[in-house]
Structure formats: C-alpha cells, structure tokens
C-alpha cells in the first residue's frame, strides 16, 4: 500500500513544523520547503529526519497527495501552491490541517479535541496540558507553536491516547484569500480560553470583532463540549454573557483570582527559580502546587491546565506531579545562560504590550535586587502602530530598554509612519534609560561595550529574529 505523501510549504513556521512531525510519525512521506534563514524549529525538524528544500519553486511539487500551505510566503499565491493546484493536487492551509489532524480520520483515529485559545498564553498552557497528560502515561497528540518543549521533546507528536491538544489561533486562515479565523477549523470537545485582547490589527478592526470571533468558536463546539475560561478577563466576561444568552447549554467552568470563579488561584509567591500557589474550589482548598516557571500569568496558565486535567479524570496528586515536571517552552522566558561578564540572559517571545509587561514583572519578581534590561524588537508595522501607546508604558519595571528596528511580517507592506526610533523617543518620556540600536549587530556591539555584570539580567523580547543575538554574545 502506497504511503500518503504530504508537502509543507513554509515548513519551518511554528505552526507548520508540529504538523510535519505528526505526519512523519504517522508514517507519511513528508517533504517541505522554506527560506534558508535560521528558524527556532530547525533542530526539531532535523531530529524528526525532515530536511527542507531551500526556496520555493514549482519544481518542488512532484506528486504529493496533499499540500499544506502557510499564510506567509504568499499563501495560495506561492508558486508551489499554484503548481499543486494546476496538477489537481489538494491544497489546504495550516489552519485547515490542524482541524483535520484533530479530527483524526486521516490517521484512522477518533480523537477528543482540546483547543487552547486566547491572545496570550496559548503555547505555555498547551505545553503544560500535554506535559501533565504525558507524565501520566496518557500519551496525547499535540501541536505546540514553538521550536521545543523540554519535557515533551518536540513541538508535535502523534500519540496513542485519545486526546489531541492544539493551540487555537484567531488569526486569518490565509490573509489575502480567506480571512476566516483559523481556530474555526477546529471542532474540539474542550476549549480553554485564557484571555481576549486586541491584536492582529491587519485582520481585526476592533476588540469587539475579536471577541465575536471567539464567541463563534465557543458556539461551534460539540454539544457535550466544555468551555474552560479565565473568569477574571473583562472580555471573557462579556463573551460568557453573550454565550449564556444564546441559549447554549454546554458546560462552562471559570478559573482565576476572583472568588466568584469555579476554581480560585491563591497565595502565589516566587522563591528563586520556583513558584508556589494554592487552588481552591467551592470554599475547599484542593491542593498546593509548585512550578518551575514564574509569573502570575504562568500561575493562571497552570490553573487552566489543572482544570482541564481534572476534567479528563486525572487525580490531583497526579496532576501535581505532571505539572512539576514542566520546565517551560522555547522562547518563553527561557534561560539562555550567563555572559562571561556575569550577567544572566533570558529570551521571550512576548510581542504584545500586555505580554511584555507581565513577563518583565515576572522577571523582576524573580530577581528583585538585580537590574533588568529589556532588549525589544517590535513585530509588524501594523501592531506597533495600532498599539503604540500601550507599548510606551510596557517597560516601567525595568531599569533600561534597548530597542532594535521593527521586524516586518512577510504578510504586510512597509509603513514608514512608524518605527522603533519613534517608539524609543516616546518611551523616553516615561523612562530615563532608553537606547535605540537599529540592527542585531548594533545591539551586540552595545552589550559588549557595556559589559553587564552579575548585578544585571538581560532579556531579549519579540516574535521576530531577536533571539539570534544569543549566538553573537560571549557566554561563560
């Protein structure tokens, strides 16, 4: 019997690599193409035995059974997508593929879907859930949008268990040709909803439009579905009111700090590299927990993972054990090492003002007696422009800010009306130590000149290629 063959256009993307790994584990023949630039997924692909072709060409489309494209690199207008359609080969998007994989028919399976949605926290929460289930021999399948999750070994896996866990992204299926939110291709039994904020201004005109997209997602969930939502979030509160009025009788479970939630987070405190917190429900303390990642936002992510795990039938003691094994995900406040001069270095994917603020607050809580230096590379012209004022006030807890130039998305045209230089000038109104260095090379030169010592913690931040700075720094 001929093996199914799948070709991935833009295979290095954090949404594409997990799909490719799952297809490979399913026994499919996997090929893919992408640009030659270094990606955080390179090692994961290599470990899976997948070697991408450099560049996009119709010659790369031989005779696959299926072609999966990303929204970047021209999407449906990519020469490989066009060539495939000319050969009558089925072409689908990454968002569609996640929905198909979650359903399981393509693998001869029938999965129970778990979709993790929200403006922030999707990757960490998905990774926490997958880790808890894996550590308890449930062997879930998962799609996690990063390069590596230490406790899981890879960002994608086709498990033998019944659960399929995936990030659920509100971005457009294909920005030019199909603006349907990607998560609407998923039909899970469980939706975990972490928060709702304004993002993706190139797709959504308002916060109301984004909330309505999430509401549509919740309402298309299976009839026996369960919505596990952060009841502290003001936009989620609005969504839940509309959800209830709609007559939907699917189960809703809320979590958060507020005492009116079904599960309540209490007594969060950080000690060194660990964070401790308690969880109660209906005036009963369920248990105390310990995490090897810090920040109140991560405590909330962990509580979401705890609630979902309870709904799968796992006992509290087993959930505690599984959660304790979680050590974080790549580019999520990831410890990179110590410079030869003594400064500690971290890296984080934060690219939205709220993410930046919460991440820096977590780092300050962990190192209250050290200077914190944030090295930020804004991501996309549209986001930087639309959220400009919010970015200005995101760095209040740090001692110094270094900004490099905006990392442009392949999906949008340059906008000369906004820049990191303009942003740095405005941040200076609220912050005494703000430096603009256009390129990564300029930032490296500045760090080498400053010779930051053991009283300082540096953190690189952004969804672009700022992480590449670490290869150029002199670590001990």
């Amino acid at each position: 019997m001929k093996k199914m063959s799948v070709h991935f256009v833009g295979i290095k993307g954090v949404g594409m690599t997990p799909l490719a790994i799952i297809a490979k584990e399913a026994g499919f023949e996997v090929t893919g193409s992408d640009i030659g630039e270094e990606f955080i997924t390179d090692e994961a692909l290599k470990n899976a035995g997948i070697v991408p072709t450099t560049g996009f060409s119709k010659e790369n489309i031989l005779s696959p059974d299926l072609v999966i494209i990303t929204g970047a690199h021209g999407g449906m207008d990519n020469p490989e997508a066009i060539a495939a359609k000319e050969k009558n080969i089925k072409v689908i998007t990454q968002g569609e593929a996640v929905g198909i994989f979650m359903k399981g028919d393509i693998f001869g399976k029938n999965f129970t879907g778990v979709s993790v949605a929200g403006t922030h926290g999707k990757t960490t929460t998905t990774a926490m859930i997958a880790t808890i289930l894996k550590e308890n021999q449930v062997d879930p399948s998962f799609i996690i949008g990063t390069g590596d999750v230490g406790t899981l070994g890879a960002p994608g896996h086709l498990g033998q268990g019944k659960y399929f866990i995936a990030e659920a992204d509100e971005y457009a299926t294909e920005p030019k040709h199909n603006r349907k939110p990607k998560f609407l291709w998923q039909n899970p039994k469980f939706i975990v909803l972490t928060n709702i904020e304004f993002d993706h201004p190139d797709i959504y005109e308002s916060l109301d439009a984004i909330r309505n997209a999430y509401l549509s997602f919740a309402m298309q969930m299976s009839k026996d579905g369960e919505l596990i939502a952060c009841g502290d979030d003001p936009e989620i509160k609005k969504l839940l009111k509309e959800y209830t009025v709609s007559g939907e009788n699917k189960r809703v479970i809320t979590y958060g700090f507020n005492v009116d939630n079904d599960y309540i987070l209490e007594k969060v405190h950080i000690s060194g590299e660990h964070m401790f917190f308690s969880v109660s429900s209906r005036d009963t303390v369920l248990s105390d927990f310990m995490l090897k990642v810090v920040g109140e936002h991560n405590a909330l992510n962990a509580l979401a993972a705890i609630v979902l795990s309870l709904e799968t039938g796992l006992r509290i003691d087993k959930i505690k054990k599984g959660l304790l094994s979680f050590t974080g995900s790549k580019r999520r406040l990831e410890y990179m090492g110590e410079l030869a001069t003594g400064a500690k270095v971290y890296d984080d994917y934060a690219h939205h003002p709220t993410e930046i603020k919460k991440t820096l607050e977590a780092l300050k809580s962990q190192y209250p007696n050290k200077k914190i230096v944030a090295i930020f590379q804004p991501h996309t012209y549209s986001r930087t422009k639309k959220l400009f004022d919010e970015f200005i006030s995101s760095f209040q807890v740090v001692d110094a800010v270094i900004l490099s130039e905006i990392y442009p998305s392949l999906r949008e045209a340059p906008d000369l009306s906004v820049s990191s230089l303009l942003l740095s000038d405005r941040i200076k109104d609220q912050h005494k130590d703000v430096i603009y260095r256009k390129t990564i090379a300029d930032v490296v030169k500045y760090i080498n000149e400053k010779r930051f010592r053991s009283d300082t913690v540096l953190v690189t931040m952004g969804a672009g290629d700022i992480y590449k700075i670490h290869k150029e720094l002199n670590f001990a």
Side-chain angles (χ1 to χ4, degrees):
M1 182 178 176
K2 179 182 178 292
K3 287 197 298 186
M4 183 174 182
S5 59
V6 186
H7 181 78
F8 293 83
V9 183
I11 194 170
K12 293 184 180 182
V14 292
M16 295 286 274
T17 290
L19 289 171
I21 293 171
I22 288 173
K24 184 81 171 181
E25 290 184 352
F28 297 171
E29 187 177 300
V30 174
T31 57
S33 56
D34 215 311
I35 59 178
E37 188 178 324
E38 176 191 345
F39 277 69
I40 64 170
T41 56
D42 285 352
E43 189 172 350
L45 288 169
K46 181 181 177 182
N47 291 340
I50 300 170
V51 182
T53 300
T54 301
F56 304 107
S57 167
K58 64 180 182 180
E59 307 300 327
N60 292 335
I61 303 299
L62 301 175
S63 55
D65 300 301
L66 177 67
V67 171
I68 301 175
I69 64 145
T70 174
H73 307 301
M76 284 294 183
D77 295 329
N78 184 285
E80 295 182 10
I82 293 170
K85 285 183 281 189
E86 288 175 348
K87 292 184 175 184
N88 293 318
I89 297 168
K90 187 173 183 179
V91 180
I92 63 173
T93 63
Q94 185 270 345
E96 291 175 84
V98 174
I100 291 169
F101 281 26
M102 178 180 281
K103 190 176 180 184
D105 291 351
I106 195 170
F107 310 117
K109 295 177 180 288
N110 182 22
F111 289 122
T112 297
V114 178
S115 297
V116 182
T119 309
H120 321 298
K122 290 188 293 292
T123 298
T124 298
T125 306
T126 308
M128 285 177 171
I129 293 169
T131 297
I132 292 169
L133 297 187
K134 180 195 173 190
E135 290 297 312
N136 284 288
Q137 289 73 53
V138 177
D139 194 20
S141 302
F142 52 81
I143 293 174
I144 302 171
T146 187
D148 176 64
V149 181
T151 45
L152 298 172
H157 172 59
L158 182 63
Q160 296 302 308
K162 71 175 184 176
Y163 293 103
F164 194 107
I165 312 153
E167 292 186 41
D169 189 355
E170 76 274 21
Y171 196 72
T173 296
E174 205 275 21
K176 183 176 178 181
H177 298 287
N178 187 349
R179 293 169 79 88
K180 172 180 176 178
K182 287 204 284 186
F183 53 31
L184 293 184
W185 295 102
Q186 300 179 28
N187 289 282
K189 177 178 179 180
F190 299 96
I191 291 178
V192 176
L193 182 49
T194 60
N195 44 62
I196 301 173
E197 279 200 88
F198 185 70
D199 199 6
H200 305 305
D202 55 328
I203 299 298
Y204 293 100
E205 60 184 21
S206 67
L207 183 53
D208 286 345
I210 291 177
R211 188 182 65 254
N212 287 334
Y214 280 98
L215 179 61
S216 296
F217 184 38
M219 291 181 68
Q220 77 171 30
M221 191 167 44
S222 61
K223 289 182 179 179
D224 64 342
E226 297 184 19
L227 177 60
I228 299 169
C230 181
D232 296 350
D233 187 89
E235 292 303 316
I236 290 180
K237 286 181 179 179
K238 293 179 185 177
L239 180 148
L240 292 178
K241 284 181 180 178
E242 295 179 68
Y243 190 65
T244 304
V245 170
S246 72
E248 292 292 323
N249 56 5
K250 299 161 192 170
R251 190 174 179 208
V252 176
I253 305 171
T254 59
Y255 68 90
F257 285 98
N258 294 338
V259 295
D260 55 352
N261 286 301
D262 296 310
Y263 289 88
I264 304 163
L265 189 61
E266 300 174 316
K267 302 175 185 175
V268 179
H269 71 280
I270 296 169
S271 178
E273 303 289 325
H274 295 83
M275 180 166 60
F276 303 84
F277 60 89
S278 295
V279 176
S280 64
S281 180
R282 300 174 187 85
D283 299 321
T284 301
V285 176
L286 295 182
S287 190
D288 297 323
F289 291 84
M290 183 169 75
L291 263 180
K292 292 174 183 173
V293 294
V294 299
E296 286 190 350
H297 62 299
N298 276 325
L300 281 170
N301 293 336
L303 181 51
I306 291 165
V307 175
L308 185 281
S309 299
L310 286 169
E311 291 302 302
T312 68
L314 285 177
R315 299 198 317 263
I316 283 283
D317 60 324
K318 291 187 174 292
I319 295 171
K320 286 178 68 171
K321 179 186 173 186
L323 194 59
L324 183 58
S325 69
F326 181 73
T327 55
S329 304
K330 193 168 187 65
R331 302 220 62 219
R332 268 64 180 185
L333 208 50
E334 179 185 7
Y335 179 60
M336 305 306 299
E338 197 171 285
L339 296 181
T341 53
K344 292 182 182 293
V345 180
Y346 283 80
D347 179 53
D348 196 87
Y349 189 71
H351 54 283
H352 184 281
T354 301
E355 293 170 337
I356 294 166
K357 187 176 181 180
K358 289 184 180 296
T359 298
L360 294 176
E361 286 172 350
L363 205 55
K364 192 65 178 177
S365 296
Q366 189 174 354
Y367 297 103
N369 300 317
K370 291 183 183 288
K371 299 172 186 173
I372 309 293
V373 177
I375 304 164
F376 177 53
Q377 178 191 56
H379 184 252
T380 77
Y381 297 104
S382 58
R383 180 184 288 112
T384 308
K385 187 173 185 176
K386 191 72 175 182
L387 303 178
F388 197 87
D389 291 341
E390 288 90 335
F391 279 118
I392 292 169
S393 58
S394 293
F395 300 91
Q396 292 174 346
V397 302
V398 302
D399 298 273
V401 184
I402 303 170
L403 279 94
S404 68
E405 198 45 74
I406 295 169
Y407 185 88
S409 168
L410 295 171
R411 300 183 293 243
E412 64 178 8
D415 184 346
L416 300 180
S417 69
V418 65
S419 70
S420 288
L421 181 58
L422 289 172
L423 183 59
S424 67
D425 287 342
R426 288 293 305 278
I427 295 175
K428 285 176 183 176
D429 294 340
Q430 298 187 16
H431 209 292
K432 64 179 181 179
D433 196 349
V434 183
I435 303 294
Y436 169 74
R437 292 293 182 268
K438 185 175 182 178
T439 67
I440 285 178
D442 295 332
V443 174
V444 171
K445 182 180 178 183
Y446 179 79
I447 292 172
N448 289 338
E449 289 172 352
K450 290 291 289 186
R451 296 185 61 80
F452 293 105
R453 302 196 179 275
S454 59
D455 63 344
T456 302
V457 177
L458 305 174
V459 56
T460 51
M461 311 183 84
D465 63 355
I466 191 66
Y467 66 90
K468 293 181 181 178
I469 194 174
H470 306 118
K471 283 192 173 182
E472 308 301 322
L473 297 176
N474 184 20
F475 284 91

